Amino acid sequence: MESAGFPSHDAESGSALNPHGPESERSAEQPGCSFADAAWDKFNWENDLDDLGIYVPKKGPAKITDSGHLILPWHVNMDHCGITEAGQHSDMTGMCQHVMELGLAHNNISSIEEVLRIIRCMPKLTFLSLTSNPLNSSTITTATTNSSGGNTSDVQDDECNASVTMGGSQSEAGAVPVATSVNNRVNTAVDANPNTETTPTTPISTCSPAASADNNNIPNTAQTTMCTEDGQNSAASSVHPDVFPTVRQLVLNGTCVDWSSIVVLLKMFPSLEELHLSLNNYTSVDLPPHLTYPSLTHLFFNNKDIDTWSQVSGLGRAFPNLRHLYLAGSSITSLDDDVSRMAQLFPCLEMLSLNKTQLKGWDEVDKLRHLPALTDVRVLGIPFLEEQEEKSRREQLVTRLPNIKRLNGSSVKEEERLDAERAFLRLYQDSDYKPDRFFELEKVHGRVSELATVSLKPQTVFSMDIVFDNRRERVEVNAKQTVRDFKKSLQNIAGMPSSKFVLFYHDKETHYGGFTHRMIYPDKKLYSYNLKDGSEFIIEPKH
């Protein structure tokens, strides 16, 4: 999940969201400009205020020093600014030294070298979004070829040479250690035996919390090892002079970079934990068969032309520690027939989004229970499920997937599970066809009697829309939870902690266009707002 306060990403569409609104955007259709010039124009507010004669204290997100130099804040959103190049700002390093999160979405950058020239001057960078830039894949592979030979210091820009020197020590600005040092720190213990390619080969050997805690104490560059097709450690065999081990999140949605370029970028960014590759028109997964990248835990791969699970299996081989996988909108009709192989390739997968896919029946849903760590599933908008009555659909999903704790964004309580299992037995006990799950439950509950009375219990699960930054996502909401718990469940959609946004309930069925409630009482139950199917919750970032 994205850090607080920075442009977030729709979990299903993979699209970058811009919380600053159009007033802070520069039209992408106007003539191209440099990053340095665009940043100066956006953050140098003093030029506009001086003419008004208003005194503005030198506090806030950006700072102008007494000598007139611009110091950018820790997060910088330069979406829709028409940027085409880095620029030649004389004090680029000083300007960018505190930047940790950088948004460059919806610009016109075509060469990866321009991106590298910008981020070389950001030694603390952890988040980078390049969404919807027309990146030329040839410039990425060429960047590796051109910079792999000769003096590595030549790749530095003039404005960055003063404090970032490849092969030198850490600078006053906190520049990251150089690529040649990464070679000595990276873990070389990854097993690339081709006979065990379906078994995750990773220095992080388990998915347990204890193992995660132990690995948190290891320098991130030491945790990330990539094995290439020939079984060689990539850090030892092909070190790119530009390595950015501090970057944890990389967003490449809508860039259409090819797979060979992805491999190069994984070498440049050896410590990624979250990667966005949605809307790139991929028809297959063409990663080298023995490549492993163990640090990645969150992958957004929403591409409509992916239609077989065998393609998804390639992601499991390459990223053996995946915990969250988003496949929304793909054309997948079935999962792996070999469920043990699927479990072996995704041993750590906790959350899987299959929204708006083309799964063809309940047999495919049943396979999900074989993923050993899976506790969170999203299966909205699947045609065969949409044909089911809403209450029965959820009961069957809860019953068929006994391992899940969250379904379509809503928590599953034990009381709901017990009721669903009994309803499932009633549904099939007089049917000629009985799924395997029926016999399992019959041993637990025995034969259940038909309901003799109509239940007068109020509705507790509602199908509602979550609206954020002009984007809409349908979720199922359990009305028994508190406002506090519900806001926490929306953190992934909002891309920020629950403390950083406010929540509104919009009842569209009331007169005069509906009524909107601001939900300010954290311990108040959702059912007290008289929820209705089809109504919506609206997320607004705090200012």
Side-chain angles (χ1 to χ4, degrees), residues 1 273-276 296-300 322-324 326:
M1 186 171 65
E273 298 171 1
E274 181 175 309
L275 179 61
H276 296 248
L296 198 73
T297 59
H298 290 61
L299 178 60
F300 294 76
L322 274 183
R323 296 179 184 273
H324 290 229
Y326 295 84

Side-chain angles (χ1 to χ4, degrees), residues 191-474:
D191 178 10
N193 187 341
N195 294 325
T196 59
E197 67 177 40
T198 59
T199 303
T201 54
T202 165
I204 308 173
S205 57
T206 72
C207 302
S208 67
S212 299
D214 291 341
N215 283 297
N216 286 337
N217 298 323
I218 303 173
N220 222 315
T221 50
Q223 294 181 47
T224 303
T225 305
M226 292 208 318
C227 290
T228 53
E229 291 180 273
D230 57 3
Q232 296 293 318
N233 179 288
S234 67
S237 61
S238 178
V239 179
H240 191 283
D242 283 310
V243 175
F244 305 93
T246 61
V247 177
R248 302 289 188 267
Q249 298 165 287
L250 179 62
V251 186
L252 297 170
N253 298 332
T255 57
C256 296
V257 293
D258 60 27
W259 287 107
S260 60
S261 299
I262 295 297
V263 173
V264 173
L265 291 171
L266 291 177
K267 294 177 182 179
M268 289 183 184
F269 303 97
S271 307
L272 292 180
E273 298 171 1
E274 181 175 309
L275 179 61
H276 296 248
L277 296 176
S278 299
L279 309 178
N280 282 335
N281 299 324
Y282 295 131
T283 58
S284 62
V285 175
D286 297 323
L287 291 169
H290 303 304
L291 179 145
T292 55
Y293 191 93
S295 69
L296 198 73
T297 59
H298 290 61
L299 178 60
F300 294 76
F301 193 69
N302 306 328
N303 290 276
K304 64 181 179 62
D305 294 325
I306 297 296
D307 56 7
T308 65
W309 187 261
S310 61
Q311 297 162 345
V312 178
S313 296
L315 300 174
R317 294 187 184 93
F319 309 116
N321 288 307
L322 274 183
R323 296 179 184 273
H324 290 229
L325 178 59
Y326 295 84
L327 300 172
S330 70
S331 301
I332 294 171
T333 58
S334 62
L335 306 182
D336 198 331
D337 290 332
D338 187 341
V339 292
S340 61
R341 177 175 57 194
M342 183 171 67
Q344 190 178 36
L345 288 173
F346 296 95
C348 303
L349 194 63
E350 299 171 356
M351 183 273 170
L352 176 62
S353 173
L354 294 169
N355 286 353
K356 300 180 181 179
T357 56
Q358 302 298 314
L359 291 184
K360 59 187 179 184
W362 286 114
D363 288 344
E364 303 307 318
V365 173
D366 290 341
K367 294 176 184 178
L368 294 174
R369 66 180 295 191
H370 296 281
L371 291 169
L374 191 67
T375 59
D376 187 346
V377 174
R378 301 183 185 184
V379 284
L380 292 170
I382 298 177
F384 97 87
L385 288 176
E386 292 299 307
E387 295 173 358
Q388 313 285 328
E389 188 271 328
E390 184 175 342
K391 185 173 184 290
S392 175
R393 175 176 68 231
R394 184 173 175 90
E395 288 174 342
Q396 288 217 55
L397 288 168
V398 168
T399 303
R400 289 172 180 269
L401 302 175
N403 50 324
I404 64 168
K405 297 179 181 179
R406 295 189 66 81
L407 174 62
N408 296 331
S410 178
S411 61
V412 178
K413 305 297 184 183
E414 283 305 311
E415 180 183 0
E416 180 188 6
R417 188 179 300 281
L418 181 61
D419 290 343
E421 289 174 351
R422 292 182 177 277
F424 186 83
L425 287 171
R426 293 188 186 94
L427 179 65
Y428 285 102
Q429 64 185 3
D430 294 326
S431 172
D432 293 335
Y433 167 75
K434 294 179 175 61
D436 292 341
R437 182 65 175 149
F438 174 88
F439 300 105
E440 295 176 10
L441 292 174
E442 191 176 43
K443 293 178 181 179
V444 176
H445 300 290
R447 182 177 179 84
V448 296
S449 59
E450 295 293 335
L451 293 177
T453 58
V454 177
S455 175
L456 299 179
K457 291 182 179 180
Q459 182 179 351
T460 58
V461 177
F462 297 84
S463 180
M464 307 182 70
D465 289 337
I466 306 298
V467 180
F468 178 54
D469 196 49
N470 296 321
R471 297 182 184 279
R472 185 178 298 272
E473 180 178 344
R474 178 59 61 92

Side-chain angles (χ1 to χ4, degrees), residues 28-42:
E29 297 179 357
Q30 69 180 46
C33 65
S34 70
F35 169 81
D37 290 341
W40 185 261
D41 290 345
K42 180 171 183 175

Side-chain angles (χ1 to χ4, degrees), residues 6-7 16 18 24-39 42-43 76-86 102-111 114-115 118 128-136 251 253-256:
F6 196 71
N18 178 14
S24 67
E25 298 178 356
R26 178 194 299 249
S27 173
E29 297 179 357
Q30 69 180 46
C33 65
S34 70
F35 169 81
D37 290 341
K42 180 171 183 175
F43 290 98
V76 176
N77 179 11
M78 300 301 296
D79 297 354
H80 297 275
C81 288
I83 296 170
T84 58
E85 60 183 1
L102 176 63
L104 293 173
H106 301 280
N107 284 293
N108 297 315
I109 303 173
S110 60
S111 173
E114 297 301 325
V115 177
I118 295 171
L128 175 62
S129 173
L130 299 173
T131 292
S132 297
N133 277 277
L135 291 178
N136 188 330
V251 186
N253 298 332
T255 57
C256 296

